[in-house]
Amino acid sequence: MKTLLQQQWIVEGSPKTLQISGLSYTADFSKPVTERVTLLEKADGTPIKDTETYTVAVNDFMASGGDNYTVLKGKERVFGHADLEAFVNYVKETFKGGKITAEIEGRITNINN
């Protein structure tokens, strides 16, 4: 997980930020890319361990190593609905035609030294 998150900064100065859910992390930008994630935990506060195996959901582009997410290449994959179809179904089922709401959850903390 840590490697996956750190790969978003492989291209220095890249404006992209990996969008996440189900976990939170702190990134210290005074550190090298490979040491930048200093705190990583599940949404309930349980630490993510380097020695554990976790399942992640990503789009096919990322799973194929797109945007330098090479840690995902060659991993076991389970295919579901196409990305857009899955997203549309999620919105329909979650909000049932009502107002779409979102909250700031503070999942990413950046330390800029």
Side-chain angles (χ1 to χ4, degrees):
M1 294 297 292
K2 201 177 277 188
T3 301
L4 174 64
L5 290 170
Q6 291 172 158
Q7 285 185 341
Q8 69 187 309
W9 305 300
I10 286 177
V11 178
E12 286 295 328
S14 173
K16 68 180 176 183
T17 298
L18 182 61
Q19 300 304 302
I20 61 167
S21 66
L23 59 101
S24 64
Y25 70 91
T26 298
D28 184 343
F29 282 83
S30 69
K31 296 184 179 290
V33 169
T34 57
E35 301 171 16
R36 198 164 283 171
V37 174
T38 58
L39 177 69
L40 179 58
E41 48 192 25
K42 295 179 186 179
D44 67 3
T46 305
I48 301 274
K49 298 178 182 174
D50 292 341
T51 57
E52 296 290 323
T53 300
Y54 299 93
T55 300
V56 299
V58 298
N59 61 32
D60 189 53
F61 175 74
M62 283 183 59
S64 299
D67 276 346
N68 295 312
Y69 294 106
T70 57
V71 72
L72 298 172
K73 286 179 73 172
K75 302 295 184 205
E76 181 181 339
R77 292 166 67 175
V78 176
F79 293 89
H81 297 288
D83 302 342
L84 180 57
E85 181 184 353
F87 178 67
V88 168
N89 288 339
Y90 168 80
V91 170
K92 285 180 179 178
E93 292 170 15
T94 302
F95 299 102
K96 307 212 184 301
K99 183 177 179 180
I100 296 175
T101 59
E103 297 176 17
I104 296 174
E105 297 179 10
R107 294 178 280 199
I108 302 170
T109 302
N110 291 330
I111 301 171
N112 296 310
N113 291 341

